[in-house]
Amino acid sequence: MAAIFSCHSCSSLYTTSKSSLFNNHKPSINYIRLSHSPNNASIRRFRPICSSQNPNQLQSTDKQKDRFSGIKECVLSVALAIGLMTGVPSLGFPSNANAVAPAIPDLAVLISGPPIKDPGALLRYALPIDNKAIREVQKPLEDITDSLKVAGVKALDSVERNLKQASRALKQGKSMIIAGLAESKKDHAIELLGKLEVGMEELQKIAEDRKRDAVAPKQKELLQYVGGVEEDMVNGFPYEIPEEYQNMPLLKGRATVDMKVKVKDNPNLEECVFRIVLDGYNAPVTAGNFVDLVERHFYDGMEIQRADGFVVQTGDPEGPAEGFIDPSTEKTRTIPLEIMVEGEKTPVYGVTLEDIGLYKAQTKLPFNAFGTMAMAREEFENNSASSQVFWLLKESELTPSNANILDGRYAVFGYVTQNEDFLADLKVGDVIESVQVVAGLDNLVNPSYKIAG
């Protein structure tokens, strides 16, 4: 698929990569369906098209552009022609896209309030709980991040107001919070609540003493307590996975992995460990597949295979296969597209949200955070994901938080929560030395790596 731009200053057709940009002019958008053919087994190229004033009259040349200006005007046009499938993917517009009815929903309709971009906050809000009292404690503590955007010590006045709101909510709602805890986890959660109360008093003192630099670390500590209490409200796995997927490796809960990467040709960074939290509550099949591959050491020694400033991608094994070959079947193991929609109890499987008309729906795990982790897949096959994964780096006109064209099309299953900024320093050829599960392995059921020995 490609985007046709009705413009006044150019009319060219060319093969493009993510770095290729149009001239600096503001286009109007229409869509048509175009065929494409792969240049090789792993790289597919897609063609954004500029037209004259008549969008039906196409003029073109096979001219490759490689310019890095005008991104704010033209990144949408380029990104529409590039996606996140296996290799260099396409965004895969549906067959009914046409010149008068763009497949993309109105972005303004999808935006509701300031987007949450912090990976920790996204994970906290994604927990399958319904306890208003703890959320009323969490919200003002999360809002401290926005308060700190105010310059100088004036920010601390807002921080104090946030703290007073959180303290009041905790005092008034503590009994409701305790009533919502899973019985087996109650003692642990009550201990965390005690630490939270003490910590809020300490943060109040920090704000009163005008120690601005000490606020953010203390806020992070308090939110970790809140997140721990919220996790202690989850009593078992909250829903039944469809029968056809029940025998796959499944992550029924959360797991944490450390990915150690050896960085080449960078004097400022020799190696880095990225901590990633995988969310099996909202993507049990996808996260379970990844943890199973991690336990097989599938990614150990593998190179970073794409790093273009938009995404970092890996997971394509050596040889003709583009995914993991299951030794027991000698076939590529694939998993279904898996999307959890906000307000729903179970994920949607096998279809994009666009396929089923949910244009305005928000996903529980959105592409909001730098370092959002998701599965790559074949362009026209929703259920073709296997082992290739990517981390989103760039927020653009195509991928604004809370109104992201990637949401509902690709299965997000985790976020990088530590050292995520260093993802931007990775290059093609950097080596993943190891990926290790450091917490939550007991949440993996049906692990195929054990069967394989």
Side-chain angles (χ1 to χ4, degrees):
M1 308 308 296
I4 292 185
F5 287 79
S6 178
C7 59
H8 304 291
S9 56
C10 79
S11 57
S12 62
L13 172 74
Y14 49 81
T15 303
T16 172
S17 66
K18 184 64 191 170
S19 60
S20 300
L21 300 172
F22 288 110
N23 292 323
N24 283 329
H25 59 275
K26 189 172 291 186
S28 60
I29 247 182
N30 294 290
Y31 300 91
I32 63 166
R33 188 164 179 237
L34 291 180
S35 62
H36 71 276
S37 59
N39 289 331
N40 56 48
S42 63
I43 296 180
R44 297 174 174 83
R45 300 182 185 275
F46 302 89
R47 296 182 173 183
I49 303 170
C50 282
S51 72
S52 64
Q53 294 183 20
N54 179 2
N56 296 318
Q57 181 181 5
L58 303 182
Q59 296 175 329
S60 65
T61 61
D62 289 328
K63 192 174 183 180
Q64 175 115 17
K65 306 287 185 180
D66 190 21
R67 292 171 290 161
F68 295 89
S69 62
I71 188 166
K72 290 188 177 180
E73 295 293 334
C74 304
V75 69
L76 177 59
S77 61
V78 178
L80 283 172
I82 295 181
L84 295 164
M85 309 289 182
T86 302
V88 178
S90 159
L91 289 174
F93 288 95
S95 58
N96 62 357
N98 56 62
V100 294
I104 311 176
D106 184 355
L107 298 185
V109 172
L110 297 181
I111 298 174
S112 56
I116 300 170
K117 300 182 182 181
D118 177 73
L122 290 167
L123 288 163
R124 285 186 286 273
Y125 281 119
L127 283 166
I129 64 172
D130 184 19
N131 189 288
K132 183 180 179 182
I134 191 62
R135 294 302 194 194
E136 289 181 344
V137 176
Q138 178 188 349
K139 178 65 165 62
L141 292 177
E142 303 278 10
D143 288 345
I144 289 174
T145 300
D146 290 330
S147 296
L148 290 175
K149 293 177 182 177
V150 178
V153 295
K154 289 184 178 180
L156 299 175
D157 295 333
S158 295
V159 170
E160 289 190 69
R161 288 192 291 271
N162 298 142
L163 273 170
K164 288 178 181 177
Q165 185 179 350
S167 296
R168 183 169 58 251
L170 180 56
K171 183 177 180 180
Q172 294 175 349
K174 189 172 182 179
S175 60
M176 188 180 297
I177 292 171
I178 293 175
L181 297 170
E183 193 62 37
S184 62
K185 304 175 183 178
K186 185 172 288 187
D187 290 344
H188 178 255
I190 290 173
E191 180 183 348
L192 291 179
L193 286 172
K195 292 180 178 180
L196 178 61
E197 289 174 321
V198 172
M200 285 197 291
E201 291 175 0
E202 293 171 347
L203 184 50
Q204 181 67 37
K205 183 70 164 57
I206 288 171
E208 290 172 355
D209 292 343
R210 312 317 253 181
K211 297 178 180 178
R212 180 189 170 104
D213 292 344
V215 172
K218 195 66 179 180
Q219 175 209 20
K220 184 176 181 180
E221 177 188 326
L222 298 183
L223 285 170
Q224 287 174 340
Y225 296 147
V226 170
V229 172
E230 291 172 344
E231 289 195 45
D232 287 342
M233 291 179 169
V234 183
N235 188 15
F237 193 72
Y239 55 87
E240 190 78 9
I241 293 170
E243 183 177 357
E244 58 263 45
Y245 310 129
Q246 287 181 1
N247 293 326
M248 292 181 168
L250 305 171
L251 187 66
K252 291 191 170 183
R254 287 185 172 169
T256 303
V257 300
D258 282 350
M259 181 175 72
K260 184 178 180 181
V261 180
K262 180 71 173 178
V263 181
K264 299 178 179 179
D265 303 323
N266 188 334
N268 300 317
L269 185 68
E270 292 187 1
E271 63 179 33
C272 187
V273 177
F274 299 94
R275 176 148 292 187
I276 308 167
V277 176
L278 310 174
D279 189 353
Y281 289 125
N282 293 292
V285 176
T286 312
N289 175 73
F290 181 76
V291 172
D292 189 68
L293 293 176
V294 166
E295 289 301 296
R296 288 175 173 270
H297 304 283
F298 177 84
Y299 298 97
D300 294 1
M302 187 172 286
E303 293 185 348
I304 299 298
Q305 296 154 354
R306 177 181 176 186
D308 54 14
F310 185 65
V311 300
V312 169
Q313 186 166 327
T314 192
D316 185 0
E318 293 183 2
E322 293 184 346
F324 167 66
I325 303 298
D326 189 335
S328 65
T329 64
E330 297 184 349
K331 296 180 180 180
T332 302
R333 184 173 81 187
T334 59
I335 58 174
L337 179 62
E338 181 178 45
I339 308 290
M340 179 69 88
V341 178
E342 189 72 52
E344 297 297 323
K345 300 296 185 182
T346 60
V348 173
Y349 288 95
V351 292
T352 68
L353 298 190
E354 184 181 66
D355 290 339
I356 55 178
L358 296 180
Y359 298 108
K360 299 180 182 180
Q362 296 289 314
T363 58
K364 290 283 281 187
L365 300 177
F367 280 92
N368 281 17
F370 191 98
T372 299
M373 186 177 188
M375 294 299 299
R377 60 177 175 82
E378 292 289 348
E379 180 178 5
F380 299 114
E381 178 49 64
N382 293 339
N383 297 336
S384 61
S386 178
S387 60
Q388 294 195 43
V389 298
F390 67 89
W391 294 269
L392 182 69
L393 306 184
K394 190 180 189 113
E395 183 172 4
S396 68
E397 282 86 344
L398 178 72
T399 58
S401 299
N402 270 26
N404 196 318
I405 196 173
L406 305 181
D407 288 334
R409 293 171 178 266
Y410 303 92
V412 174
F413 63 102
Y415 297 98
V416 180
T417 59
Q418 290 182 19
N419 291 328
E420 62 269 25
D421 290 345
F422 290 109
L423 284 168
D425 294 316
L426 298 185
K427 301 289 187 294
V428 173
D430 290 343
V431 177
I432 299 172
E433 292 188 337
S434 65
V435 186
Q436 294 182 323
V437 180
V438 296
L441 185 57
D442 54 336
N443 291 324
L444 181 67
V445 299
N446 308 326
S448 72
Y449 73 91
K450 289 188 176 180
I451 298 173

